[in-house]
Amino acid sequence: MLGERLRDLRHDRGFSLKQLAELTGVSIALLSQVERNQIDPSLNTLRKLAKALDVPLFSLFAGSADPGVAVIQRDRRPSLTATPGAVAYTRISPGFGRLEVLEGVLEPGSASSPTLWEHNSEECAVVLKGSLVVEFASESYTLQAGDSIYFDSNRAHRYVNPTDAPSVYIVAVTPPSF
C-alpha cells in the first residue's frame, strides 16, 4: 500500500522520480524500489518524502477516511520503526482529521531522530513509562512517567532516551505532520 500511495502522491503533484529524488536527496533507485514495494524505507526517508510531498508522514499509510467514528484496534494500528533498536511509533488516531495521536517506544540510549528537526505543528507528549528527554537547540527537558510537555513543533526538537530502560510515551500533533 505504501508504494502505491507514494506513486499516487508523486503523480498528483506532477513530480518525476528524478524531481522527487532531487527534492529529498533520496536516490531514484531507492524511490523506485519503494514505489514497487520491494523495500521498506527508513523513518528518515519517509520524513523526507512526506515533507517533499507536503503531507503528514502517517498519511503515507492512510486508508479511506470515515468522517464519523473510528475505532483502531491495538493489533491493527499502522506502525513505523526507525532503525532497529531506536524508536517505534504506532498510530492511535485514524489518520484523517486535524489531530494525529501516536504511541512512541524509544529504546534505551536512542533518539527519535539523528538530528533535531521541525515541522509545522503543535505537539503535546506525555510519558507513560520510563524517562524521556526532549531536546531543543539550546535547552532540554527531562520528563518522568506522568509528566507532559507542550511546544510549537516549528522549534527544532527530538526525543531522547538516555536511560537503560525503554521509554513509552503518547504524542499528539495538530495539524498532523508526523
Side-chain angles (χ1 to χ4, degrees):
M1 184 168 93
L2 173 63
E4 291 85 15
R5 177 84 171 129
L6 281 171
R7 187 173 38 254
D8 290 346
L9 287 167
R10 180 174 59 80
H11 287 160
D12 288 349
R13 282 145 181 80
F15 294 147
S16 67
L17 276 174
K18 181 180 180 191
Q19 289 169 316
L20 187 57
E22 289 170 355
L23 284 170
T24 60
V26 175
S27 73
I28 293 172
L30 179 66
L31 289 175
S32 177
Q33 289 175 322
V34 171
E35 284 190 359
R36 291 181 285 138
N37 292 310
Q38 292 180 331
I39 62 166
D40 291 324
S42 71
L43 180 57
N44 286 333
T45 297
L46 288 170
R47 283 180 175 152
K48 291 176 185 178
L49 290 168
K51 185 173 183 177
L53 295 167
D54 194 29
V55 296
L57 187 137
F58 265 98
S59 75
L60 298 175
F61 303 94
S64 59
D66 179 356
V69 174
V71 174
I72 299 90
Q73 296 170 338
R74 183 180 241 327
D75 63 343
R76 302 194 82 190
R77 289 185 196 166
S79 63
L80 270 180
T81 302
T83 54
V87 64
Y89 285 106
T90 57
R91 188 174 66 206
I92 295 171
S93 57
F96 56 84
R98 297 178 303 245
L99 177 67
E100 186 77 68
V101 182
L102 309 167
E103 179 183 61
V105 177
L106 194 55
E107 294 301 325
S110 60
S112 61
S113 175
T115 60
L116 301 176
W117 74 292
E118 71 278 340
H119 47 102
N120 190 25
S121 296
E122 296 174 54
E123 203 160 318
C124 184
V126 62
V127 179
L128 301 177
K129 179 180 173 188
S131 179
L132 189 67
V133 175
V134 182
E135 291 183 345
F136 297 95
S138 61
E139 58 199 335
S140 65
Y141 299 89
T142 301
L143 308 174
Q144 304 299 325
D147 294 344
S148 62
I149 188 169
Y150 167 85
F151 56 93
D152 182 336
S153 304
N154 283 302
R155 294 182 64 193
H157 63 282
R158 71 179 185 162
Y159 297 102
V160 178
N161 179 359
T163 71
D164 59 0
S167 295
V168 180
Y169 57 99
I170 301 291
V171 61
V173 181
T174 187
S177 64
F178 192 84

